Amino acid sequence: MLKVFVYGTLQPGEVNFPRYCQSHGPQVTPALIPGQLYHLPVGYPALVPGSGWVEGCLLSFADGAVLEKLDELEDYQPGRSPAENEYQRVKALIYADPQTILTEAWVYVMTPQKIAQLGGVPFVGSRWCGLPTVG
């Protein structure tokens, strides 16, 4: 089973969930990860491991093939230097609450250098939500 923690546009109800995740029928579990969120001017968040808590969802997929599409979306290529990737895909402990570990899962994080390069600013709060589109 493939497990991925998501905290931005891949969460249920956000813009990229239907396109990248929904058809794969993931089991969705509310979850937490230690870290700090940053808001990027391009309209999505970035996560840096740290001492605060970030709310999101643990997505559990029966088919691991979805990981290739997620890597593509997150501009991550295994073996490419961190400076060339937008996000880094790493294994991390995922929590049900601050005292209870759920599992280990993949999560996409961003280096502080990449956040600075993209003009990111610290996000106030622990749960990111995209703004509704107007149109």
Side-chain angles (χ1 to χ4, degrees), residues 1 10 16 31 38 42 47 50 53 59 69 80 101 104 109 123 125 133:
M1 177 140 314
L10 289 168
N16 283 321
Y38 287 81
V42 289
L47 171 72
W53 289 99
L59 302 181
K69 290 293 184 189
R80 189 166 67 175
I101 296 172
E104 185 177 60
V109 299
F123 181 81
T133 56

Side-chain angles (χ1 to χ4, degrees), residues 52-81:
W53 289 99
V54 173
E55 297 177 62
C57 295
L58 176 66
L59 302 181
S60 300
F61 298 94
D63 180 5
V66 69
L67 194 59
E68 185 178 321
K69 290 293 184 189
L70 298 179
D71 283 351
E72 186 179 304
L73 171 67
E74 305 293 9
D75 191 23
Y76 170 77
Q77 289 182 23
R80 189 166 67 175
S81 83

Side-chain angles (χ1 to χ4, degrees), residues 81-134:
S81 83
E84 293 178 280
N85 285 326
E86 183 164 357
Y87 286 90
Q88 310 305 311
R89 178 170 41 88
V90 300
K91 285 275 189 164
L93 292 176
I94 308 304
Y95 293 76
D97 60 61
Q99 287 80 40
T100 309
I101 296 172
L102 274 176
T103 191
E104 185 177 60
W106 291 113
V107 61
Y108 293 93
V109 299
M110 195 173 278
T111 65
Q113 295 82 4
K114 184 65 74 172
I115 290 171
Q117 177 186 348
L118 296 174
V121 295
F123 181 81
V124 178
S126 60
R127 176 176 286 285
W128 183 88
C129 292
L131 297 174
T133 56
V134 177

